[in-house]
Each structure stands twice: as structure tokens, then as C-alpha cells.
Amino acid sequence: MWATMTQCTDRCKRQISFPVTIEELFAVQEQQPEARIMAGGTDLLVALRHGPQDTRPIICLERIEELRRIDELPDNSVSIGAAVTFGSIVRSPLLKARYSLLTQAASTVGGPAIRNMASIGGNIVTASPAADSLPALYLLDAQLELRSTTGSRTMAIAEFMLGPRRTLLQPGEIISRIILPPAQDWSIQLFEKVGRRKSLAIAVASLAAMLRLAADGTVVEARFAWGSVGPTVLRCPAAEALLKGQPLSEAVLTEAAALVQDAVSPIDDIRASADYRRTVAGNLLLRLVA
Amino acid sequence: MNASALKIGTSHPRGDAVAKAAGTERYAADLYPQGCLWAGAVRSHQACGRIISIDTTAAAALPGVVKVLTAADVVASNRQGIIHKDMPVLCDDLVRYCGDPLALVLAETKEALQRGMSAVQLQLEPLPGLFDLDSALAADAPLIHEDKPGNLLAQASICKGTGLDGFDACSVVVEGSFSTPVQAHAFLETESGVARLEEDGGLLMEVSTQSPFRDRFEISHALGIPWGKIRIVAPSLGGGFGGKDGATVQCLLGLAAQHADGRWVRMQWDREESFKAGYKRHACRMEYKLGAAADGTLQALHAKLWYDTGAYAHLGAEVMELGMEHAGGPYRIPHTLIEGWCVYTNNPTAGAMRAFGVCQATFGFESMMDLLAAKLGMDPLELRLKNALVRGDENCAGMRLTTSTGIKTCLEQLQQHPFWQDREVWKAASPAYKKRGIGLASVFNAAGYGGGVRDAATAKIELTPEGTFLIHNAVTDMGQGNSSAFLQIAGHILSQDASRVLLKQPDTRTAYPSGSSSAGRTTYTFGKALITATEELKARLLNWAGMILFLQDNDGLELQPGRVLHQPSQKEVSLVALAGYMQPEERVCLGQYVAPTCKEVPPTAKGFFIGFPHVIFGYGAHLVRLEVDSLTGQLTVCDYLAVTDGGRVLNPGMFDQQVQGGVAQGLGYALMEDFTVRDGVVKTPDFATYLIPGSLDIPEIISIAAQGEPEETGPFGMKGIGEVAMNGPLPAVANAVADACGVRLCHGPLTPQRVLAGVKG
């Protein structure tokens, strides 16, 4: 049976469970359908601080080994358990060799302590417009494996994300794995996050870029995704198409930047103005020739 | 054997290093007395309003809730404040900012406290609030305090030479308008303490405070407890920076203790409450006009400074006055007119913070110096050197400087540094889409309370029966390291090693009034008193040893760790033995010191209540090297150099730490710290929204001590440098951005958004 039922004094009378298999997790969930699922807690615990009246049970994923593994699959795709921390992602030689875009993005999450707690699955489920891993996962065509007592299904990440804090995750369902299709050969993989400080910052704008160049330096394929400039990750097919067959130059990228600045729909908030986010979203493309 | 004795001028480890690194240092926030009650303030959600009713019935009836108090339960003045007593402990008629306390709940547990606080029913009639300088200064503005016409806490001016007529002779004049944001102290340990009433009706409080002795007067005035019956104990602070100078939790805690039947009461503000109700650095708006002769000799200055002091006075007037006294920088300017307004608004209360009004004015002035240099076509360092104050000059406030004045030395040492010498080479090597710039700031900061205030300390040191020495510190250590300096001073005089010199943090029952831990005076004033006390104790020890050893005089007698040795005969007496011979009162020595004040106050200042002028200043010359990202507007501070004149350095390691801490806090102020309030509501309520710099935002900070003169009046020639470093970063970074990309930013902080908007034009 799973280790369970810790409670924290008079303060909350909250039930907390630590299942060690996914089956156990579903068994707890059946008894406590209102329970919250927690991996690293870096989003959930902050939310609970501001809502102490929420005493729903918590089911922790941290002891479910299956959710904490990074595995290469027989077809050369790579599976990342939903509870894998960004720290583990940053330290994985396999991911660094094949999907350096994700490694770069993961290394911008919070600071070292946050990275050692925060999970990639949590980053996806929280569905923040500013989530650091999402632009990279979009470009890498990540597939999500969703499990429930009734079975599992797989879905492309872009399909899964509906909007800020909204996904297609159904009640009783969890993300179990993120599957990255076999790595392709990209000439450039670049992730840049712009925040208000150099660590522990929420993205004001971010860009993930992957490009394949021909021997003469012209662009064969370009993929771009932006974070924090719209309700979900933003792609800009027009900018990608514009680059195709062109040399990677400041002039072409400036032209593409203008298309991006038209395409984004950022907001004003305490961190930055919409205008700043729009400008930066375009400008970041020029880093490709820096 | 003397090798291990503490010695002035060397980098001994801090006395508190081990306890703090091991997590065993006990702060006020660590105190949970057995069976204590929890106290919490119910605060206004309106920024401005009239109290219709406060219904405590439901809250008081809740299980675990012990008492719910309102202003009606306060028997005395119900007003706190250091100088201007305008701040209610619990509001009785009006609320003046979003966070004003209305009721105080006492409960058995933290959870019961939360429930009780939520159950207090407030009925407030909203009144129109004043949230910026212009609306507060408008002719028809409602008054925030009835007795303060024009919503002015203070209005003052300094006029020197021929004032504005000085511009007539100027060949070059530059003008500029600037503003600076509200800054939070953001100390690790939020405002906290415990208190109880003693059997004799006295109040005992252990609290995170910079001003244990003065707190007694604030509490006494507000709550009616005779101050002589109030005992304050002040352990090490988990940060202060000015935010714990004056009552924070003290009066609320005292009131709670008055209604707790002798039980301990505990209060600790959480981060959100600290941000809302704690004091802040004043936002400031400035207008500057600076004139010079064609050769760059400064001639005339007109500065207008408006400080937003929020709902209550705290030390707002004094903050403004100190800013005015520094508004012309560390330069010779024959003609000045400096005007200041300290304005009440319905924003959170502003008060003391490191570089107390000065870092605002420094941004204005040092930006003006670069504007002037550009207009003159002159090297900005040359312009500063040319006008730098030297001893004997009159400063911008008309005060003739008779103490150590090292700004010129600081600038000259900076000039020799490779960062300055190689500046063009470094700038030329900037990477793609980055622009490099170098910025300067020359800064100064007064030390001590200033004219009209007695700046005194009484130190106490005793030889214990165990043969060790115990210093009774009376000025709080908020992390700046004054206690370590005191250990070093006593150890040096008594030739003792670190293990034999101990220190007890302030307790008003066993130490003596020595003022607050503030104003760059802490080590200076108490250190001087401690020297007197320690030398007296040393004399007593030598005398006793001489008697025991049958010596006709002190020749050949010396103190060594643990003993007094007669060198010629090699006879010795241990300190334990001496302690046994001496009577208890003989083992205790007191020493007093009163800091120097200006005897001939220049007639330049009008409207100053106290604190003018100052006679001792720390100086610094700062240089920053940074990169501007032209795609994002982000700034990367690559290197920082601070040359500081603090007289003689007692402990080089701690000197550097003070400078580095000040620069880091200053870089936060320059780059990102922006406590945002809209319509009286805090928009940056926590550390997710109020950003302070992390390790990656702060470069290696090179601290160099100026090879200048010692400050003759100070202990071993030192003067305070706790604040001066805070002043440099904002103007230096702004000047470096202008140097890098030609964009002059006049509004702090210098966020990527502001930088990029400037770059885009």
C-alpha cells in the first residue's frame, strides 16, 4: 500500500499521499476525486499560499519511479517522465546531445533550487503563457502520453494546450510521459528567454528557434516558437516561410521580425508592456546572426 | 603569544560568522515562547476612508480568539512616530493608506488568529485618495492630516552664495528632470517580536529593531506605559537597512501585551504585510539646473526635490533634508538654491532607508554632471576632479569642511585603474547587438545625526569571572558587522584573541542609551565610547597586576591573551585570577562619547527642523562597465569598481563587504527594484513581482579603500561607510547606458523596457 496521510497539524487537516506506482495513484484518486496532483509543487504550493481555504487532498508524484525516468525508446525517440525535474533534464547527456533546444530552455527555469523541484509535466499542465519549456516542446513535436484508469491516449502538445491555465487534460487523467520523436539534424537550435532578471524570473518574451541550413548557408527549414507573447505558444508560419531558401542575414531576419510583430498578441502587465513584448519578440530573431 | 590577538586593520573573520553560517544565530523571528498568544493586525483595504464601524463581536466569539482590540482600547495618545507623532497604533477616525491597522486580534494559535482577523467586520466610507505628488499638492486637495496645510510634511530650502543669480555668470547651463522609484528594504527577517507584561506592570519586549532605546519612548507615548518600565531586547537582525528604525510591530505588540494577562504575545508580519505596512524608500521627483564656466568650473545649481512620504511622517522630513544637503554632489559650487518638499499622499508610508534621501538626489546630480561634461565636450572624470571638494571648501549646503575629505583621492585612484585607463579598448570589443558603456558616479554620504541632535553613546565592557571580556553592545547589529568591529576594537586594545572577547546584543536593562543603528554612526559613535571604556579597563587590569606582582609602575607590563605578563621578570597574572581579585563593580567600565557637531551653522538652510548640517562625510568614486543588449534593452553589468574613503579601515574584509552590499542593493535600485502602487494598492506584493537582484545580476564588485587621510575624530581614524556605496550604482549605470548608446534615462529603475524605448527613440 502507498505511503500516505501525512497531515500538517491544526493548520489544514490536508491529506497527502505518496503512491509509488501509477496504479496506486489512480486508486487514491478514485477515493479522493477532488485531490490535486503535485509533482515539484513550485506552482501549486505558491497558489495554496494565496488560498489557504483550499484543503483538498494532494497526491504527490515524487515516489513514482516510472514518472521520473528519461528513456530512449527502441525507435530512437526519447521518453521523459512527467515528474522529471528540469534539473534532471539539464543534466541529461542524452537530451543535451539530441535536443539541446530543450536543455537550453530547461536551464532558464527559475534558479537551481527551483529546477531541482519543478517538473516538466507540471510546466505543461499549469499551461502558463510564460512556461519556459513549451516553445521548445512545440518545435520538437513533443507528444504527450495521457493516462487514466480507462487507458492511455497520445496527443501533440500544440493540440493539448487550449489557453492560459486550460488544457485538454480530463478529470482523472494525468500526463505520464512526454515523447520526443527521433532527433533530427538541425544546424541551429537556439532558445532565449527575456526576463526582468537573469534568474528566477518569469519570461517577458521567449524564442525557440531551430534551423536547418544548406551547405551554402541558405535556410532549408526554419521553425520558430514564442512564449509570453500570446495566450499560448505562438508559431509564425509566415516568418518561417519567408526564411526558406534565403541566406540567414540581418536583412531577412528583420523582415521576418516585422511579420512576427504583427502576429503576436501580448498583454500589458506589471512585468512589461505589450509594446515591449512585441518589439522583443521580433528582435530576438536577430540573435541568429549575432 | 600576541600573534592571535585581534588587531585593528586586519581582516579577522566576523564574530557572528560561525553562528550565522550554522543557522544557530537566534533572531527575534525565531522566538516562540511557550504558550504564547499570536497577535495580528486587521488592516484597511481602502487607501483613504472614514471609519463608520468596526464590529468585533463575531471575531471575539470564535474559539481560540482571546481578544479583539480597537483604538478604544488604547489608553494613551495612540500615536507613534519618531519625531512627528502622527501615526495611529490603531486607526480611530480615518484610514490613510491601504494597510492602515484598524483592529488587533489576539488568539491561541496562528490559525485561530487568521479566522479571527477574517471575522472582524469593517465598515469604511471611502474618501477620494491622493496617490501622486501633483494631486496631493493641488490647491483644492483634501488634507490627509488636518494640521498639515498643503499636504506638506516639510518644506525647506538651502540658499548659498547669490543663489539663482549665480547663473548669470555661467557660460554653459544644463537642465534635467528625474524620478526615482519606491524601494523596499526586502530584509530576510520580516518585522517581528515577542512581548509580555511583567508582574510590576512593566513591558518586556524582544524585537527586531534598529532603535531599542528610542522604541521605549514611542511605545510609552502611544500606550501610556512609563518608558522607564519598558525593557527592550534586540537580538541580531536579519537585515534592517533603515526599515526597522522606529516602531514597526512594537506598539501593536505592546498593546497586545497590555491585554494578554501576562502571557507572551508574538507578532510577525508575513512578506505581504511587510511590503504593505513596512516603511519604504521615498519615491522622488527632481528638477535640476546646473551652470558652469566655459572651463568646467561649477558656478550655480538650482535643484528642486519632491519626496512622496506616503500617509505618515516617519522620518520623511529628515530624509528630504539629508537629500537636500547632498543635492549638489561632492563638489564646490559657489551659488546654490536647493528646494525641497516632503508631501503626504495616501500611499504606503515612506521612511528611513540606507542612503536616506541621498541616493535619489545623487541620481539627479551625477546625471547632470555627465550632461554638463557632454555639453562642455569635457571628459566626465576630468570635470569631476576639477570640481571635487577638498578639506577647507564649502560644500553645496554652505558647510565648510574641516574633517577628512577624500573624494579627490577616490577619483584619482579610480583614474589609475585599468577599467578607466583601458576603457576605449574594452568598449570597442563589444559583441554583436551589444553596446558597451562606462559610467561614473562620485558620491558622498553624511555620517551621524547632524546638527541639533545629540549623537552620543555609552559603552560598557566587563571582565567576567572566567577571565573573558564581555562587551554590552547598545547599537543593534542588523548584519552590517558593527558587533564584530567592537570585538576587534576591544581585542586590539586588550591584546586578546577572538575566543576571549564576547558580545551581548542590546538590552535596555543592561546596556546604556546609545542611539539607533543608523546614519553611518554605529561603529563610529559607539566605537569611540568603547575605546574609552576599554582603555579604562585595561588601566585597571595593569594596576591590579602591578600590585600583585609588587611592581612600582607599569613599565614592562603587558596584556596578552588570557594574562598580564611582566616582560622583564616573565612573571604573570592570569585574567581569571585578576577577575577574582577585583570587585564586581571594578570589573565593569563605561565609556561615553558625543560626536562632534558644527559650531558655526551656516545661515543657508531654512525650514530645517533638525539634522543640519553634518560635519563628517564618507566619499566614493564608482565606475561601472556594462553592456546594453540592443535587441532586448537588457543591461548586463560586467564589472563594478568602488573606491571608498572611510578614513582608516578597521577590518578590510568587512569594509569590502559593506561596499559590496551597498553596491548590490544600489544595482537592484538601478536595474529592477520598483515598488509599484496604483491607486494606493500595492501591485508588487511579493518577491515574484518585486524583484531584487540575484547572483547573476551582480558582477564581481571591486572595492578599493582610498589611500586618504584617517578621520581624526573617529575610532582609530575610521568613519562610517554603511550608506555611501548605495548612492553610486543608479547614476553610474545611467551614465554608462548613455555612454553605450547615447540614451539618457532619467527615470529609475533602468528597466529593459525603458532602455529599449530609448534606443528605439
Side-chain angles (χ1 to χ4, degrees), chain A residues 94-161:
Chain A
L94 176 70
L95 293 176
K96 191 171 184 186
R98 302 212 192 150
Y99 308 99
S100 89
L101 189 68
L102 181 62
T103 307
Q104 291 174 53
S107 71
T108 70
V109 174
I114 297 286
R115 287 198 287 277
N116 284 338
M117 294 302 290
S119 71
I120 186 165
N123 204 226
I124 296 168
V125 170
T126 297
S128 159
D132 293 320
S133 69
L134 292 183
L137 292 174
Y138 271 60
L139 294 197
L140 293 167
D141 290 327
Q143 299 285 313
L144 306 182
E145 182 189 80
L146 310 174
R147 297 253 303 257
S148 66
T149 44
T150 57
S152 77
R153 57 183 181 141
T154 305
M155 186 181 294
I157 187 154
E159 196 185 332
F160 180 74
M161 310 299 300

Side-chain angles (χ1 to χ4, degrees), chain A residues 8-12 46 49-50 52 192-202 204 249-251 253-254 268-277 279-290, chain B residues 109-112 115 270-272 432-434 629-637 671-674 676 678 683-684 686-697 749 751-754 756-757 760:
Chain A
C8 36
T9 71
D10 166 63
R11 190 168 306 174
C12 56
V46 175
R49 176 175 163 79
H50 295 293
E192 180 166 348
K193 165 177 166 178
V194 177
R196 289 279 319 274
R197 65 180 160 196
K198 295 192 188 299
S199 65
L200 288 169
I202 295 173
V204 161
S249 68
E250 184 173 286
L253 290 168
T254 305
D268 278 307
D269 69 10
I270 192 81
R271 289 178 196 94
S273 68
D275 185 50
Y276 175 77
R277 292 170 199 265
T279 305
V280 169
N283 285 1
L284 282 175
L285 284 176
L286 291 156
R287 202 74 80 201
L288 292 165
V289 289
Chain B
T109 63
K110 195 175 176 183
E111 293 68 37
R115 288 191 292 267
D270 63 17
R271 183 62 59 187
E272 290 84 349
Y433 300 108
K434 310 266 186 186
D629 189 318
S630 41
L631 301 180
T632 64
Q634 288 170 299
L635 303 180
T636 299
V637 177
L671 301 174
M672 63 188 78
E673 292 190 44
D674 190 1
T676 305
R678 287 197 194 123
K683 294 294 177 187
T684 50
D686 51 35
F687 281 132
T689 44
Y690 183 78
L691 302 190
I692 58 173
S695 58
L696 298 179
D697 302 287
T751 59
Q753 188 169 312
R754 285 184 170 139
L756 195 63
K760 277 170 80 182

Side-chain angles (χ1 to χ4, degrees), chain B residues 15 37 69 80 108 111 134 159 167 171 189 206 294 305 315 319 392 398 417 487 491 546 572 586 598 667:
Chain B
L37 293 174
L69 307 171
Q80 64 185 61
E108 295 286 350
E111 293 68 37
D134 291 329
C159 187
F167 284 101
S171 314
E189 181 203 30
E206 191 161 355
L305 313 175
L315 289 169
V319 165
H417 195 277
L487 293 168
E572 65 172 80
E586 211 183 352
C598 178
L667 284 172

